[in-house]
Amino acid sequence: MIMYKLAVFDMDGTILNTLDGLANSTNYALARCGMPTHGVEAYKAFVGSGVYQMIERALPENERTKENVERIVAVFREHYRVNSIANTKHYGDLPEVLQKLKDAGVVLAVASNKPPEFGRMYADHFFGEGFFDCVMGPSVDIPPKPEPKMLFEAIRRCGAVPEKTCYFGDSDIDIMTGVNAGVATAGVAWGFRPESELMAAGASRILHKYDEILDFVGVGS
């Protein structure tokens, strides 16, 4: 018997490996603005809280002014929109696993701190247009995770209830979001952050293989 009717996923580090694209575009923007750049692995600690926070973390401490962040974000967005898809890939056979959820009647959604225009573009490009019933991101009315409003809005738009919803993510921000929303929340070990961070944030389970998603939701593999 299916335990959850709605499965909501973070995007970066959970359903898509976006690290190279984020690093490349951020380094491009930093260099254009005369700031030092970083190796790709460093970005595992920078991402997860939205583009403004990512840029702020990538800057030297003495350069983290509002003006610098906004200037670099503008250059980042321009470069990322054109170049990021070529530097992004999905995780192995994860799309097939998610298709099994859909075939079993589970509704799928995304709740990501990625800007909404990029979130929908990525979801449609890598999984097919309309594959996810709802793709959520921060907006004027919806604060970024770990505030739970984004997840609550995804639940509302999908016609679900928290008790029948589960959430998957790869960072403490994601886990805290699910915990704050009162939904069953699993951490994925294939993402950007260590398992210890996910457990400390309150993950009810850590998944190491993609098909463990099916077991968590209650769909036979």
Short mmCIF file of all heavy atoms in Angstrom, two decimals, residues 112-138:
data_model
loop_
_atom_site.label_atom_id
_atom_site.label_comp_id
_atom_site.label_asym_id
_atom_site.label_seq_id
_atom_site.Cartn_x
_atom_site.Cartn_y
_atom_site.Cartn_z
N SER A 112 12.44 23.95 -4.50
CA SER A 112 13.87 24.24 -4.58
C SER A 112 14.13 25.70 -4.30
O SER A 112 13.28 26.56 -4.59
CB SER A 112 14.38 23.90 -5.99
OG SER A 112 15.67 24.39 -6.21
N ASN A 113 15.30 26.01 -3.75
CA ASN A 113 15.69 27.40 -3.59
C ASN A 113 16.27 27.99 -4.87
O ASN A 113 16.69 29.15 -4.88
CB ASN A 113 16.69 27.55 -2.44
CG ASN A 113 16.00 27.66 -1.09
OD1 ASN A 113 14.82 27.96 -1.01
ND2 ASN A 113 16.74 27.42 -0.02
N LYS A 114 16.32 27.19 -5.94
CA LYS A 114 16.71 27.72 -7.25
C LYS A 114 15.64 28.70 -7.72
O LYS A 114 14.44 28.46 -7.50
CB LYS A 114 16.85 26.55 -8.25
CG LYS A 114 17.36 26.96 -9.61
CD LYS A 114 17.46 25.74 -10.53
CE LYS A 114 18.63 24.85 -10.16
NZ LYS A 114 19.94 25.51 -10.31
N PRO A 115 16.02 29.82 -8.34
CA PRO A 115 15.01 30.75 -8.86
C PRO A 115 13.98 30.02 -9.71
O PRO A 115 14.33 29.13 -10.50
CB PRO A 115 15.84 31.73 -9.70
CG PRO A 115 17.18 31.72 -9.04
CD PRO A 115 17.39 30.30 -8.60
N PRO A 116 12.69 30.33 -9.57
CA PRO A 116 11.63 29.56 -10.23
C PRO A 116 11.79 29.42 -11.74
O PRO A 116 11.48 28.36 -12.30
CB PRO A 116 10.36 30.36 -9.89
CG PRO A 116 10.69 31.09 -8.64
CD PRO A 116 12.16 31.41 -8.72
N GLU A 117 12.29 30.46 -12.41
CA GLU A 117 12.42 30.36 -13.87
C GLU A 117 13.43 29.30 -14.26
O GLU A 117 13.28 28.60 -15.28
CB GLU A 117 12.80 31.71 -14.48
CG GLU A 117 14.19 32.23 -14.13
CD GLU A 117 14.23 33.09 -12.88
OE1 GLU A 117 13.34 32.93 -12.03
OE2 GLU A 117 15.14 33.92 -12.76
N PHE A 118 14.47 29.12 -13.45
CA PHE A 118 15.45 28.07 -13.72
C PHE A 118 14.92 26.71 -13.31
O PHE A 118 15.16 25.71 -13.98
CB PHE A 118 16.76 28.37 -13.00
CG PHE A 118 17.49 29.57 -13.52
CD1 PHE A 118 17.86 30.60 -12.66
CD2 PHE A 118 17.80 29.69 -14.86
CE1 PHE A 118 18.53 31.71 -13.13
CE2 PHE A 118 18.47 30.81 -15.35
CZ PHE A 118 18.84 31.82 -14.48
N GLY A 119 14.19 26.66 -12.21
CA GLY A 119 13.65 25.39 -11.74
C GLY A 119 12.74 24.74 -12.75
O GLY A 119 12.87 23.55 -13.05
N ARG A 120 11.81 25.50 -13.31
CA ARG A 120 10.89 24.95 -14.31
C ARG A 120 11.64 24.58 -15.58
O ARG A 120 11.38 23.54 -16.19
CB ARG A 120 9.78 25.95 -14.60
CG ARG A 120 8.85 25.54 -15.73
CD ARG A 120 8.24 24.17 -15.53
NE ARG A 120 7.19 24.15 -14.52
CZ ARG A 120 6.52 23.05 -14.18
NH1 ARG A 120 6.80 21.89 -14.75
NH2 ARG A 120 5.59 23.09 -13.23
N MET A 121 12.59 25.40 -16.00
CA MET A 121 13.37 25.12 -17.20
C MET A 121 14.11 23.80 -17.06
O MET A 121 14.13 22.97 -17.97
CB MET A 121 14.35 26.26 -17.46
CG MET A 121 15.26 26.05 -18.67
SD MET A 121 16.36 27.47 -18.97
CE MET A 121 17.51 27.31 -17.59
N TYR A 122 14.74 23.59 -15.91
CA TYR A 122 15.49 22.37 -15.67
C TYR A 122 14.58 21.15 -15.58
O TYR A 122 14.88 20.09 -16.13
CB TYR A 122 16.30 22.51 -14.38
CG TYR A 122 17.65 23.12 -14.59
CD1 TYR A 122 17.78 24.38 -15.15
CD2 TYR A 122 18.80 22.45 -14.24
CE1 TYR A 122 19.01 24.95 -15.35
CE2 TYR A 122 20.05 23.00 -14.43
CZ TYR A 122 20.15 24.25 -14.98
OH TYR A 122 21.37 24.80 -15.19
N ALA A 123 13.47 21.28 -14.87
CA ALA A 123 12.55 20.16 -14.72
C ALA A 123 12.02 19.71 -16.09
O ALA A 123 11.99 18.50 -16.38
CB ALA A 123 11.39 20.56 -13.81
N ASP A 124 11.63 20.66 -16.93
CA ASP A 124 11.11 20.32 -18.24
C ASP A 124 12.19 19.74 -19.15
O ASP A 124 11.95 18.80 -19.91
CB ASP A 124 10.48 21.55 -18.90
CG ASP A 124 9.18 21.97 -18.23
OD1 ASP A 124 8.66 21.20 -17.41
OD2 ASP A 124 8.71 23.09 -18.52
N HIS A 125 13.40 20.30 -19.08
CA HIS A 125 14.47 19.85 -19.97
C HIS A 125 14.93 18.43 -19.65
O HIS A 125 15.12 17.61 -20.56
CB HIS A 125 15.66 20.80 -19.89
CG HIS A 125 16.81 20.40 -20.76
ND1 HIS A 125 16.90 20.78 -22.10
CD2 HIS A 125 17.93 19.66 -20.51
CE1 HIS A 125 18.00 20.28 -22.62
NE2 HIS A 125 18.64 19.59 -21.68
N PHE A 126 15.12 18.13 -18.37
CA PHE A 126 15.72 16.86 -18.00
C PHE A 126 14.71 15.75 -17.73
O PHE A 126 15.07 14.57 -17.79
CB PHE A 126 16.62 17.04 -16.77
CG PHE A 126 17.90 17.76 -17.06
CD1 PHE A 126 18.02 19.12 -16.83
CD2 PHE A 126 18.98 17.09 -17.61
CE1 PHE A 126 19.21 19.79 -17.12
CE2 PHE A 126 20.16 17.75 -17.92
CZ PHE A 126 20.28 19.09 -17.67
N PHE A 127 13.45 16.10 -17.46
CA PHE A 127 12.47 15.07 -17.14
C PHE A 127 11.27 15.08 -18.07
O PHE A 127 10.47 14.14 -18.06
CB PHE A 127 12.00 15.22 -15.69
CG PHE A 127 13.10 14.99 -14.69
CD1 PHE A 127 13.86 16.05 -14.21
CD2 PHE A 127 13.39 13.72 -14.23
CE1 PHE A 127 14.88 15.85 -13.30
CE2 PHE A 127 14.40 13.49 -13.31
CZ PHE A 127 15.16 14.56 -12.84
N GLY A 128 11.14 16.11 -18.88
CA GLY A 128 10.00 16.21 -19.79
C GLY A 128 8.98 17.23 -19.29
O GLY A 128 8.74 17.34 -18.08
N GLU A 129 8.41 17.94 -20.22
CA GLU A 129 7.45 18.98 -19.87
C GLU A 129 6.27 18.39 -19.11
O GLU A 129 5.66 17.42 -19.54
CB GLU A 129 6.96 19.70 -21.13
CG GLU A 129 6.11 20.92 -20.86
CD GLU A 129 5.78 21.70 -22.12
OE1 GLU A 129 6.39 21.39 -23.16
OE2 GLU A 129 4.94 22.61 -22.03
N GLY A 130 5.98 18.98 -17.96
CA GLY A 130 4.84 18.52 -17.17
C GLY A 130 5.09 17.27 -16.35
O GLY A 130 4.15 16.76 -15.72
N PHE A 131 6.33 16.76 -16.33
CA PHE A 131 6.62 15.56 -15.56
C PHE A 131 6.30 15.79 -14.08
O PHE A 131 5.72 14.94 -13.41
CB PHE A 131 8.09 15.16 -15.73
CG PHE A 131 8.46 13.87 -15.06
CD1 PHE A 131 8.27 12.66 -15.71
CD2 PHE A 131 9.02 13.86 -13.79
CE1 PHE A 131 8.62 11.46 -15.10
CE2 PHE A 131 9.38 12.68 -13.17
CZ PHE A 131 9.18 11.46 -13.83
N PHE A 132 6.71 16.96 -13.58
CA PHE A 132 6.38 17.34 -12.21
C PHE A 132 5.11 18.19 -12.23
O PHE A 132 5.01 19.15 -13.00
CB PHE A 132 7.52 18.11 -11.57
CG PHE A 132 8.76 17.29 -11.33
CD1 PHE A 132 9.81 17.31 -12.24
CD2 PHE A 132 8.86 16.47 -10.21
CE1 PHE A 132 10.95 16.55 -12.03
CE2 PHE A 132 10.00 15.71 -10.00
CZ PHE A 132 11.04 15.74 -10.91
N ASP A 133 4.17 17.85 -11.36
CA ASP A 133 2.90 18.58 -11.33
C ASP A 133 3.08 20.00 -10.84
O ASP A 133 2.28 20.87 -11.18
CB ASP A 133 1.91 17.83 -10.44
CG ASP A 133 1.47 16.51 -11.04
OD1 ASP A 133 2.25 15.55 -11.00
OD2 ASP A 133 0.35 16.46 -11.58
N CYS A 134 4.11 20.24 -10.06
CA CYS A 134 4.34 21.56 -9.49
C CYS A 134 5.83 21.75 -9.29
O CYS A 134 6.52 20.84 -8.81
CB CYS A 134 3.58 21.66 -8.16
SG CYS A 134 3.88 23.18 -7.24
N VAL A 135 6.35 22.91 -9.70
CA VAL A 135 7.76 23.26 -9.48
C VAL A 135 7.79 24.59 -8.75
O VAL A 135 7.42 25.63 -9.30
CB VAL A 135 8.54 23.34 -10.81
CG1 VAL A 135 9.99 23.75 -10.53
CG2 VAL A 135 8.51 22.02 -11.55
N MET A 136 8.23 24.54 -7.50
CA MET A 136 8.20 25.73 -6.65
C MET A 136 9.60 26.29 -6.42
O MET A 136 10.59 25.55 -6.40
CB MET A 136 7.61 25.37 -5.28
CG MET A 136 6.17 24.88 -5.31
SD MET A 136 5.00 26.14 -5.85
CE MET A 136 5.35 27.44 -4.65
N GLY A 137 9.67 27.60 -6.25
CA GLY A 137 10.90 28.29 -5.91
C GLY A 137 10.57 29.55 -5.13
O GLY A 137 9.39 29.91 -4.99
N PRO A 138 11.56 30.25 -4.62
CA PRO A 138 11.30 31.47 -3.84
C PRO A 138 10.68 32.55 -4.71
O PRO A 138 10.94 32.65 -5.91
CB PRO A 138 12.69 31.89 -3.36
CG PRO A 138 13.56 30.69 -3.55
CD PRO A 138 13.00 29.94 -4.70
#
